[in-house]
Amino acid sequence: MLRQLHIRNFTLIDTLDIQLHPGFSVITGETGAGKSIILGAIGILLGQRADSKALKHGTDKCVIEARFDLSRYDMEPFFTDNDIEYDPDDTIIRRELTAAGKSRAFINDTPVQLQTLKELGEQLVDIHSQHKNLLLRQQDFQLSVLDIIASDEAQKKVYKQAFADYHEACRQLEVLESEIEQNRQNADFLKFQHDELADARLTEGEQEELEQKSETMTHAEDIKSALYEADNALSGDETGTVGQLRNAMNALKGIGHVFPAAAELATRMDSVYIEMKDIAQEVNANLDNIDFDPSELDAVNARLDRIYDLQKKYHTDSVAGLIALQTELQKKLSAIENSDDALDELKARCTQLKAHCQKQADQLTKLRTKAARQVERELQERLIPLGMPNVRFAIAVEPTELSIHGQDKVQFLFSANTSTPLQPVSQVASGGEVARVMLALKAMISGAVKLPTIIFDEIDTGVSGRVAEQMARMMQEMGLADRQVISITHLPQIAALGTSHYKVTKTDTPDGTTSTMKELGADERINEIAQMLSGSDVTAAAIAHAKELLKH
């Protein structure tokens, strides 16, 4: 819970340092004294967006810092997940704003993103201002109340996964149906393309082989002339290199027994002779294989032209690309032929997943319906002491289409008297009645959710007297269960029941207007409550009345 609040250079606040206590506390002060400014600072501390306009005029930096005691709340997982040091007895949150518009956030001196600060803030403090009463009129909020009371997070998680699976299968079915329709419209064209490629009987490496063959046949005469010249040089009867090399080698061998160096040279020459003889044989073989056949060249070039035409038509530069396209077209045609089977299979899966999703939604509905009856009973019990003796409250849980939230449409029905039928709370409840219903709901929710601090900003609007006292006692009760409840109020009946009492004042000085907040002592509380009772002229009767309120 919030133990200490420090604010510096925020709007009308120069410096504020205040200690806060567990239980039920109240904050009072004249209208415009700065209570909303303090709430605004807390909101910014908890992750709301802010700009340089929040700084006090003439300053260059604003600091808002709070210390929390989290020792009674299991919040260590958040700190572990975000790699932040965990100190349950003294958790420090700080927000800094500069005149240049920059903002920095820290948790236990660790810099964090604003979203991280907001996530933690939502677990630490709930600020209930008057505009939040409007939430009661929204069905999403009404559904969330049931879910909190039902403690159905585990079932909601199971359902959301089931719905996600069902939704994804429906998406896949929609895509498949669209693809099938499109493919069927294009089936004739796809078949024409496939057959054209299939008729070509393409093979890997064919293009490169044909291109080489065409090049060779085109230059056949030049090649044959060069090979003939090479063959003659190598294998000619009298001047051929191979014969001359053999004669030289034999000559060296003949003197090897009297001139050892010649024997070594002959040996080396022998390996050269073998290689030259082999080369000569290959040249001769190639010479015999080179023939110029114009009809064969025409056939090769015609085949290449067909390949080139197909490549240009299908926007690829290789036979491999054409073969891959043919394979892909075959797959599409097969898919069209087998589309009914695939469609039936996916439809069956959708039906199966919907049934599972429906089953999980039914379980969620049961939990919510049970929680609805609990909320009806408890809320009516809480509202009767708040000046609604004839109140009736019911929750309609009606079926609707499956969605990520389940299959339930929730509506809060309300009547403040016996002569008026139950109607949606958004249509019949007055502002004061809505405020009391919200307070009762908050009291219920706070028992189900371990929220350290709840701040009520003038929730007493539209009530007075005995009803105000009962509202205060409800907030007092909420503050007893390891929780801190703070109420900003204009009513003495509520202010008198606070365990701690703070007052916000605004002062005009030569340097400008400033707002301050201080905790009141016993005598100061008597005077403040008397002033709330009688106005600026505090009478003896008001003092006596204030003492009586504080006594009780």
Side-chain angles (χ1 to χ4, degrees):
M1 57 189 66
L2 182 58
R3 293 173 45 236
Q4 184 177 3
L5 179 64
H6 168 80
I7 304 173
R8 178 162 56 87
N9 296 336
F10 181 75
T11 312
L12 298 181
I13 298 174
D14 288 325
T15 302
L16 185 148
D17 275 298
I18 198 77
Q19 300 287 331
L20 295 149
H21 309 288
F24 178 45
S25 301
V26 295
I27 299 175
T28 61
E30 297 290 338
T31 300
K35 301 185 294 296
S36 61
I37 294 175
I38 294 171
L39 271 187
I42 294 175
I44 288 174
L45 179 69
L46 299 176
Q48 292 180 6
R49 296 198 173 275
D51 56 34
S52 57
K53 295 178 182 178
L55 270 70
K56 185 174 177 63
H57 181 69
T59 62
D60 58 4
K61 184 178 182 180
C62 164
V63 177
I64 306 169
E65 183 177 283
R67 306 177 91 99
F68 290 85
D69 178 359
L70 307 181
S71 56
R72 298 183 181 182
Y73 307 93
D74 183 21
M75 300 186 70
E76 186 173 2
F78 172 88
F79 290 83
T80 301
D81 292 344
N82 290 281
D83 196 23
I84 300 171
E85 181 183 354
Y86 179 57
D87 185 349
D89 298 317
D90 189 23
T91 293
I92 303 172
I93 297 179
R94 186 170 76 257
R95 185 91 182 269
E96 298 178 356
L97 309 173
T98 69
K102 294 183 178 180
S103 170
R104 296 196 301 169
F106 302 86
I107 301 175
N108 289 337
D109 287 329
T110 299
V112 295
Q113 297 291 328
L114 190 60
Q115 182 59 35
T116 305
L117 184 68
K118 188 174 182 180
E119 289 175 11
L120 178 60
E122 289 173 348
Q123 299 179 58
L124 295 179
V125 180
D126 175 24
I127 300 178
H128 184 90
S129 56
Q130 290 185 57
H131 78 272
K132 282 196 174 180
N133 288 338
L134 298 176
L135 290 173
L136 186 59
R137 306 177 190 273
Q138 299 177 9
Q139 290 187 356
D140 288 348
F141 173 77
Q142 296 174 8
L143 180 61
S144 69
V145 169
L146 280 194
D147 285 334
I148 290 172
I149 300 302
S151 299
D152 57 11
E153 281 303 315
Q155 181 59 32
K156 277 175 65 178
K157 185 176 181 180
V158 172
Y159 169 76
K160 285 183 177 180
Q161 184 59 56
F163 180 79
D165 293 342
Y166 167 58
H167 188 265
E168 174 61 19
C170 289
R171 188 195 66 79
Q172 292 176 3
L173 178 60
E174 185 177 338
V175 170
L176 180 60
E177 287 175 335
S178 177
E179 288 180 350
I180 289 173
E181 179 62 25
Q182 184 177 359
N183 287 340
R184 280 177 175 167
Q185 292 176 358
N186 297 332
D188 290 342
F189 181 60
L190 295 175
K191 188 173 188 307
F192 168 78
Q193 290 181 314
H194 173 269
D195 290 349
E196 184 177 38
L197 292 171
D199 290 344
R201 301 183 182 278
L202 300 165
T203 59
E204 289 277 2
E206 177 184 10
Q207 180 179 350
E208 293 78 6
E209 183 180 340
L210 288 171
E211 287 173 340
Q212 182 58 56
K213 192 170 185 179
S214 174
E215 188 74 11
T216 299
M217 294 179 71
T218 301
H219 298 86
E221 291 300 325
D222 294 336
I223 294 171
K224 197 170 185 70
S225 176
L227 288 174
Y228 179 80
E229 185 176 345
D231 180 63
N232 189 54
L234 289 169
S235 305
D237 292 339
E238 297 180 0
T239 61
T241 302
V242 175
Q244 294 291 333
L245 186 61
R246 183 183 63 249
N247 293 336
M249 181 181 65
N250 289 335
L252 290 173
K253 284 182 178 180
I255 60 173
H257 63 286
V258 294
F259 186 54
E264 182 181 347
L265 290 171
T267 301
R268 291 170 60 189
M269 192 174 290
D270 185 50
S271 62
V272 175
Y273 171 73
I274 294 172
E275 180 67 14
M276 290 297 293
K277 184 179 180 181
D278 185 60
I279 291 172
Q281 290 173 347
E282 284 194 31
V283 169
N284 185 262
N286 283 317
L287 180 62
D288 293 338
N289 291 333
I290 297 297
D291 289 314
F292 177 69
D293 184 348
S295 62
E296 184 179 358
L297 177 60
D298 289 343
V300 169
N301 287 335
R303 178 64 174 173
L304 282 173
D305 287 342
R306 187 177 187 188
I307 291 174
Y308 295 150
D309 288 343
L310 289 172
Q311 289 174 348
K312 183 178 180 180
K313 181 176 182 178
Y314 293 106
H315 307 290
T316 183
D317 59 359
S318 66
V319 169
L322 293 172
I323 293 173
L325 177 59
Q326 180 185 340
T327 302
E328 181 63 26
L329 290 168
Q330 180 60 55
K331 287 181 180 178
K332 287 185 177 182
L333 290 169
S334 298
I336 293 172
E337 292 175 5
N338 302 320
S339 59
D340 288 341
D341 293 341
L343 194 63
D344 291 342
E345 182 180 342
L346 193 49
K347 284 181 178 178
R349 174 169 167 76
C350 284
T351 301
Q352 180 184 7
L353 289 173
K354 183 178 182 180
H356 176 63
C357 187
Q358 185 70 59
K359 181 179 178 181
Q360 300 307 320
D362 290 342
Q363 292 298 318
L364 197 55
T365 299
K366 288 179 182 178
L367 294 173
R368 287 169 171 169
T369 303
K370 182 179 179 181
R373 305 293 82 84
Q374 177 186 342
V375 173
E376 289 172 348
R377 290 192 302 271
E378 188 171 338
L379 198 64
Q380 191 155 317
E381 291 172 0
R382 290 180 177 275
L383 288 174
I384 289 174
L386 298 181
M388 299 184 189
N390 299 313
V391 68
R392 284 176 296 147
F393 185 84
I395 300 177
V397 182
E398 300 172 347
T400 186
E401 292 293 327
L402 288 170
S403 73
I404 190 64
H405 302 296
Q407 61 178 357
D408 306 310
K409 176 184 176 183
V410 174
Q411 193 166 51
F412 286 7
L413 304 174
F414 175 84
S415 175
N417 50 68
T418 56
S419 61
T420 304
L422 284 167
Q423 297 182 58
V425 67
S426 61
Q427 298 177 14
V428 297
S430 66
E433 288 167 344
V434 167
R436 281 173 275 179
V437 172
M438 283 298 286
L439 177 60
L441 285 174
K442 287 281 183 176
M444 290 182 62
I445 292 171
S446 66
V449 179
K450 285 189 174 182
L451 192 66
T453 301
I454 302 175
I455 301 176
F456 291 104
D457 182 17
E458 299 184 3
I459 197 172
D460 49 35
T461 299
V463 300
S464 60
R466 178 70 177 169
V467 173
E469 180 183 342
Q470 290 300 322
M471 292 179 73
R473 293 200 181 279
M474 191 174 291
M475 289 186 278
Q476 195 177 51
E477 175 191 341
M478 292 168 64
L480 295 176
D482 291 337
R483 193 173 292 106
Q484 181 183 50
V485 178
I486 301 171
S487 176
I488 296 174
T489 182
H490 288 292
L491 298 180
Q493 293 87 351
I494 292 180
L497 286 176
T499 306
S500 304
H501 189 155
Y502 302 87
K503 182 175 182 179
V504 178
T505 57
K506 184 168 67 175
T507 306
D508 292 322
T509 69
D511 296 327
T513 302
T514 61
S515 289
T516 58
M517 175 177 168
K518 65 171 291 188
E519 184 174 2
L520 301 182
D523 292 338
E524 291 173 315
R525 287 195 73 182
I526 293 172
N527 188 67
E528 172 68 6
I529 293 172
Q531 198 171 50
M532 294 172 73
L533 287 164
S534 64
S536 56
D537 295 328
V538 178
T539 64
I543 293 290
H545 191 183
K547 288 180 178 179
E548 188 66 22
L549 287 175
L550 286 165
K551 181 179 179 181
H552 289 290

